[in-house]
Amino acid sequence: MPSSYRAPILASFIAGILVTVVASPGSVTAAVTLVQDGKSRASIVVRKAALTADADPKVEQLTDKQPAASKIASAAHDLQQYIVKISGARLPIIGDDVPLDGAAILVGKSKRTEAFDKKIPAGLTPQRDEEGFLILCAGDRLVLAGNDEGPYHGSEFAVAELLGRFGVRWFMPGDFGEVVPRQATLAVVDVEVRRKPAFKMRNWWGHMPAANRQPDARWKIRNKMNPTANFLAMPGDSSTRGLIPPDLIKTQPELFALNAEGKRNIALPNLTNPKAAAIAAQTIKERFRKDPALTSMGFAPDDGLPRDYNPETVKRNLGFPDLVGRLGIPSELSVTEEWLSFVNAVAREVHKEFPNHLITTNGYANRNTPPMGMKVEPNVGIMFAAIWSDTLHAYDDPRSWQTYRQGQMIKRWAELSRNVFLYDYTYIMLASAGTPAPLARKHRRDMPLLKKWGVIGFADEGRTVLMESGIYPRYLRAQMMWDANLDADGVLADFFTTWCGPAAKPARAFWDALELAMESTPMLGHEDRIMPYVYTPELMAELDKQIARAEKLADDEPYRQRVKVDRLILEHLKGYLAMTAAEWACDFAEAVKQADTMLEQRKQLSAISLFFCTPDDAGNKLESGFYYWGLVARKAYYQKLADRLSGKTGTRIALLPEKARFHLDPRDEGRFSDWISTDFADENWQNILTTKPFYAQGHMDEQGYPYLGAMWYRVVVDVPASAKGQKVHLYAPAVETEAWGWVNGRFVGHRAYHEAYERPTSEMDFDVSQAIEPGKKNTIVLRVHTGSNASQAASGMISRAFLYAPKP
């Protein structure tokens, strides 16, 4: 740490709030002096069992089964370790049976805390309302203790709080992400502080390199998150299997659901058969009887859009499409009402024997819309998981109908159930190339709203790729899980000042510019196909300016390395935009080259910390977090297209114009008015880019709601005479969501419906050999349909088309 950095040397507790101040030794009367001039002045006291307990349990052991003694041992060792790092002094850890001589820090409940035990949070009920910690300094005793039962880590939180007030920061997991000030004297004055979290559940998970798992779990605890996966029972996909013994399908098939073809579905109960609900309830009660420590259980159907087609169940369906469904498609209707009726029936029966136990299920896929005209049983919890939603805007942002709609759904669920928790998707962009999209502005608006609505917490899925999310937004969100109404400005100011030192101002301006771009964009969606239009030339110029300023000011370590991280993230973003521009120009060889430059930036970032990214996402797709349409997959796709145009697997015939004549067709007029004709007069049509979503060119409202329905594209292209006698194909990398094509008035193909996010199956490839006229101008017409699901944000044509001749 450079000598110019001076950390607070005294932690003072004023008016019940722990406040760190700069002082010289002796300027404040200390009740407990921990370290004086680099020498130990206190002992750390723990219960005797904690002396031999595992202080660094493996990730798999960080569950509600982890003994309290192990958690206390972890807390004591963390306190000892970081006081060494701060001051150089090693405080001894002793048992509660050893006579005390001098000041003592009582970590966790022990014989020595008996006088204070009534103030230390304790207990473990199915509602999980007892979490919290106590910091109490009286006389020469400092108590750092909390509820360590079941899934709780109260004593570790108390220690983390104290160390935080001494200036220690864990901004990101791993050694690179921690900041430890150097100070020779540490002391604490009389105080009593009790804290409990704003949200009960505070966790996220995601695939990551094995080396990241342990530091990630420890980072969560130090930032007062809870790394336990089953804080409340998670309703995992396919957990309905086994609720009804599968062998009953032979003798009592009516207990099981019907699929659309009329066959029994062993994975799903008959949702309107009272006996099926009774048997499922009996299965759950037997599990509760067998394991008295089990106080909640979750169940959910298979992933996808499962539905029970038993006639009585179908009668109960309201006939509305789900948020992810389309009008008129039976398999895509919302089934919330019939599903929740079954869950309620099971819960009522379980409640008779286990009145305090919870049953959880997931409001996901075709069950995420809240039920209409029905209640939720009091002992039912809802895990809300809406994957189809804009990820960039806050729930109260008027720019986004998608997040506003999601907010409406969350609020309604919370009105129906007092145990609603979110299974958010924190990928930012589910399919992504890892470009930066910091969302601290969104978090600071969303978290107080969620607390106000009554949401009890988070069990999120995502990826830990800090080159994408930024360090400070994830750190801020962790802090706001504990305190939804904290001073976010203060947290961010502390981050940039502490992390970037003399480069704090331009470093913050760099990330603020990105934040503003995310918040102010009219583009909505959760796939990165929208991102090239968010990163405007003006934004890129601002980012270049601020990072150059930061590099000049960061003239010493560790600040130089931290600013270097931002530079690498910027260069990676430049590669992304250049790769995208090359795709739009059909220069796929250049797109491959730019993908390689991005992979080079990733190598350098991953060498600094694997929490920024892995070197690539090829052989380790799950670990990288980019397991769908990642950079390596895109590079391979671009190489395939480059080969198709270079002579290796095909030859280029002609590029279609980037601009096309365009017209919406809400009444399906084009099919009846011969819009496919070569001599059709399209002078009233508009010009539109085929490399930009049609809705972003004047066809969405102020909340980002797009036009839905048919639209037409017309272009005229010169086809060289050399194409004569060749097999010729019309190709476009991405058309959303369905397309029909005509060349010179002749039908050439239909690209069937694919959901808008799908890559690379969104490609359109028609054999036009029989319709093309070499040596002439050719008219190419496409009818494209968005589908009826607005949440997909179907873009129409979003890539430049070309003609090529495949190699025989």
Side-chain angles (χ1 to χ4, degrees):
M1 192 66 62
S3 59
S4 61
Y5 182 85
R6 288 291 181 265
I9 66 171
L10 186 65
S12 295
F13 295 87
I14 301 174
I17 298 177
L18 188 58
V19 179
T20 307
V21 299
V22 179
S24 58
S27 65
V28 176
T29 302
V32 176
T33 298
L34 312 182
V35 178
Q36 181 74 46
D37 297 326
K39 306 232 182 250
S40 172
R41 292 285 301 275
S43 299
I44 300 171
V45 181
V46 298
R47 68 176 69 171
K48 190 174 180 180
L51 291 176
T52 56
D54 187 356
D56 188 26
K58 302 302 180 188
V59 175
E60 294 76 12
Q61 297 171 307
L62 293 175
T63 67
D64 54 357
K65 304 297 185 183
Q66 184 187 358
S70 173
K71 299 172 189 177
I72 292 170
S74 294
H77 282 271
D78 244 21
L79 181 62
Q80 182 188 60
Q81 171 190 355
Y82 281 96
I83 286 179
V84 170
K85 291 182 178 183
I86 295 169
S87 67
R90 179 175 292 275
L91 276 60
I93 300 175
I94 63 176
D96 58 356
D97 58 341
V98 176
L100 288 178
D101 181 18
I105 309 169
L106 311 181
V107 177
K109 274 189 174 182
S110 69
K111 293 178 182 178
R112 298 291 183 181
T113 66
E114 288 177 355
F116 313 105
D117 279 358
K118 289 184 178 180
K119 296 182 178 182
I120 300 172
L124 184 64
T125 63
Q127 293 294 336
R128 300 294 191 257
D129 288 327
E130 310 82 16
E131 189 173 19
F133 65 82
L134 169 73
I135 297 178
L136 188 152
C137 188
D140 60 355
R141 298 290 183 265
L142 172 61
V143 179
L144 303 174
N147 194 343
D148 296 314
E149 297 185 48
Y152 302 138
H153 293 262
S155 296
E156 290 168 282
F157 293 170
V159 166
E161 177 77 7
L162 178 68
L163 292 172
R165 303 298 176 164
F166 284 147
V168 179
R169 298 289 183 270
W170 298 279
F171 288 132
M172 60 178 280
D175 292 341
F176 182 75
E178 75 175 30
V179 176
V180 181
R182 298 301 302 273
Q183 197 58 57
T185 298
L186 297 171
V188 179
V189 301
D190 283 350
V191 72
E192 181 176 328
V193 176
R194 281 182 271 186
R195 294 286 184 266
K196 65 181 299 180
F199 298 100
K200 300 177 189 180
M201 302 176 68
R202 305 178 307 283
N203 195 16
W204 56 62
W205 76 276
H207 297 287
M208 63 180 67
N212 284 11
R213 293 172 192 160
Q214 196 73 10
D216 181 69
R218 188 54 55 197
W219 179 87
K220 288 176 179 177
I221 292 173
R222 288 166 177 163
N223 283 285
K224 297 195 279 292
M225 293 177 65
N226 197 306
T228 303
N230 282 311
F231 191 91
L232 293 179
M234 297 290 287
D237 291 338
S238 303
S239 47
T240 50
R241 294 172 180 261
L243 283 182
I244 299 176
D247 58 348
L248 290 181
I249 199 166
K250 298 177 183 177
T251 57
Q252 300 181 66
E254 70 277 5
L255 296 175
F256 298 89
L258 285 176
N259 61 25
E261 292 75 33
K263 294 183 179 180
R264 293 292 171 183
N265 179 2
I266 200 170
L268 186 66
N270 181 333
L271 299 182
T272 48
N273 185 313
K275 188 175 180 180
I279 293 173
Q282 183 64 25
T283 300
I284 293 171
K285 288 191 287 185
E286 288 175 359
R287 294 180 189 177
F288 284 151
R289 293 172 193 142
K290 186 176 181 180
D291 185 358
L294 188 65
T295 58
S296 62
M297 181 177 163
F299 62 87
D302 288 355
D303 199 2
L305 301 174
R307 187 180 176 193
D308 174 19
Y309 288 89
N310 275 295
E312 289 301 313
T313 305
V314 171
K315 287 180 185 178
R316 189 166 291 181
N317 187 275
L318 299 187
F320 293 119
D322 190 80
L323 190 66
V324 301
R326 292 170 290 165
L327 290 166
I329 309 294
S331 62
E332 297 182 14
L333 293 178
S334 170
V335 300
T336 300
E337 285 73 22
E338 56 262 43
W339 171 252
L340 202 56
S341 294
F342 175 79
V343 174
N344 278 343
V346 173
R348 282 193 295 270
E349 184 61 31
V350 171
H351 181 76
K352 293 176 184 177
E353 184 175 345
F354 297 96
N356 296 318
H357 288 45
L358 296 178
I359 303 297
T360 65
T361 191
N362 59 0
Y364 168 70
N366 57 359
R367 305 170 304 284
N368 65 4
T369 54
M372 299 180 68
M374 63 182 299
K375 297 180 179 180
V376 177
E377 288 294 314
N379 60 328
V380 169
I382 302 295
M383 184 185 80
F384 179 77
I387 195 168
W388 277 111
S389 183
D390 166 32
T391 59
L392 300 181
H393 300 88
Y395 294 128
D396 62 349
D397 193 326
R399 297 177 184 86
S400 175
W401 74 270
Q402 285 196 23
T403 49
Y404 183 78
R405 178 63 47 79
Q406 188 174 0
Q408 288 176 304
M409 295 164 70
I410 293 170
K411 186 177 180 181
R412 180 57 183 153
W413 275 116
E415 291 169 352
L416 292 167
S417 170
R418 62 183 180 180
N419 292 297
V420 172
F421 59 99
L422 303 189
Y423 190 88
D424 270 344
Y425 294 90
T426 58
Y427 295 96
I428 305 178
M429 296 288 143
L430 183 61
S432 170
T435 57
L439 301 179
R441 288 175 183 253
K442 173 177 168 61
H443 300 329
R444 65 193 298 174
R445 290 170 66 169
D446 283 349
M447 300 300 272
L449 279 175
L450 293 171
K451 177 62 180 174
K452 177 182 176 182
W453 292 339
V455 170
I456 66 168
F458 310 88
D460 299 338
E461 175 187 337
R463 53 176 170 258
T464 304
V465 179
L466 295 180
M467 67 178 289
E468 178 184 38
S469 67
I471 298 170
Y472 70 94
R474 290 175 68 87
Y475 172 74
L476 176 66
R477 187 163 185 256
Q479 304 306 307
M480 296 191 79
M481 285 182 176
W482 181 268
D483 181 358
N485 296 304
L486 59 66
D487 176 13
D489 279 332
V491 172
L492 297 182
D494 174 74
F495 169 80
F496 284 104
T497 300
T498 305
W499 187 248
C500 299
K505 188 174 180 179
R508 182 164 187 175
F510 173 87
W511 286 99
D512 278 349
L514 282 163
E515 284 266 5
L516 183 60
M518 302 303 119
E519 186 178 61
S520 60
T521 180
M523 306 294 288
L524 310 180
H526 74 327
E527 311 300 333
D528 80 333
R529 63 185 190 270
I530 71 173
M531 298 310 289
Y533 317 104
V534 178
Y535 303 119
T536 63
E538 295 78 14
L539 171 63
M540 296 304 295
E542 178 67 13
L543 297 179
D544 254 329
K545 181 178 75 174
Q546 297 300 345
I547 206 66
R549 289 178 59 204
E551 286 169 329
K552 287 182 180 179
L553 293 171
D555 56 359
D556 198 359
E557 294 295 355
Y559 309 119
R560 183 183 294 119
Q561 183 82 325
R562 293 168 184 169
V563 171
K564 179 183 177 182
V565 167
D566 292 351
R567 167 58 76 180
L568 291 170
I569 290 171
L570 176 59
E571 294 306 312
H572 183 272
L573 174 56
K574 290 179 180 178
Y576 173 76
L577 292 176
M579 180 180 71
T580 303
E583 177 191 330
W584 291 343
C586 294
D587 188 350
F588 300 110
E590 178 63 20
V592 170
K593 178 181 175 181
Q594 292 301 331
D596 282 331
T597 70
M598 296 170 70
L599 290 170
E600 177 56 36
Q601 311 307 326
R602 292 190 185 187
K603 287 179 183 178
Q604 295 184 56
L605 279 164
S606 64
I608 296 171
S609 172
L610 276 175
F611 283 96
F612 287 118
C613 61
T614 55
D616 61 50
D617 49 41
N620 58 349
K621 289 182 180 180
L622 286 179
E623 289 189 359
S624 73
F626 298 105
Y627 50 81
Y628 177 73
W629 199 231
L631 181 59
V632 172
R634 298 178 198 213
K635 176 186 171 183
Y637 176 67
Y638 292 139
Q639 187 62 61
K640 182 185 79 170
L641 296 188
D643 293 345
R644 187 170 288 176
L645 298 182
S646 67
K648 187 173 182 179
T649 59
T651 55
R652 170 174 152 173
I653 300 298
L655 297 184
L656 271 63
E658 186 177 11
K659 285 187 177 181
R661 301 293 285 168
F662 175 84
H663 201 66
L664 300 181
D665 192 11
R667 298 186 300 174
D668 208 15
E669 181 69 21
R671 289 199 295 137
F672 304 96
S673 295
D674 202 25
W675 289 5
I676 65 173
S677 172
T678 57
D679 56 4
F680 174 76
D682 60 14
E683 62 269 12
N684 293 325
W685 292 25
Q686 72 175 107
N687 287 324
I688 199 169
L689 289 170
T690 59
T691 53
K692 186 175 183 178
F694 80 93
Y695 58 76
Q697 300 181 71
H699 300 291
M700 62 180 174
D701 66 18
E702 292 181 355
Q703 282 194 305
Y705 199 94
Y707 164 83
L708 297 178
M711 65 195 76
W712 295 74
Y713 295 82
R714 289 173 57 91
V715 296
V716 176
V717 60
D718 286 313
V719 176
S722 59
K724 187 174 183 180
Q726 296 193 67
K727 186 176 182 180
V728 178
H729 279 232
L730 169 65
Y731 185 91
V735 182
E736 301 169 353
T737 59
E738 192 168 2
W740 298 257
W742 293 262
V743 173
N744 298 322
R746 295 184 63 176
F747 179 69
V748 293
H750 169 222
R751 208 297 309 282
Y753 172 84
H754 282 277
E755 292 191 350
Y757 75 93
E758 294 182 29
R759 296 291 186 273
T761 54
S762 58
E763 63 185 351
M764 182 192 74
D765 194 357
F766 296 153
D767 185 341
V768 298
S769 306
Q770 301 305 310
I772 209 80
E773 297 181 7
K776 297 181 179 179
K777 291 185 181 295
N778 287 248
T779 300
I780 296 176
V781 179
L782 296 179
R783 180 187 187 269
V784 178
H785 200 286
T786 64
S788 57
N789 183 346
S791 59
Q792 288 195 38
S795 303
M797 286 197 73
I798 196 172
S799 59
R800 194 169 179 182
F802 58 86
L803 296 170
Y804 76 100
K807 195 171 182 179

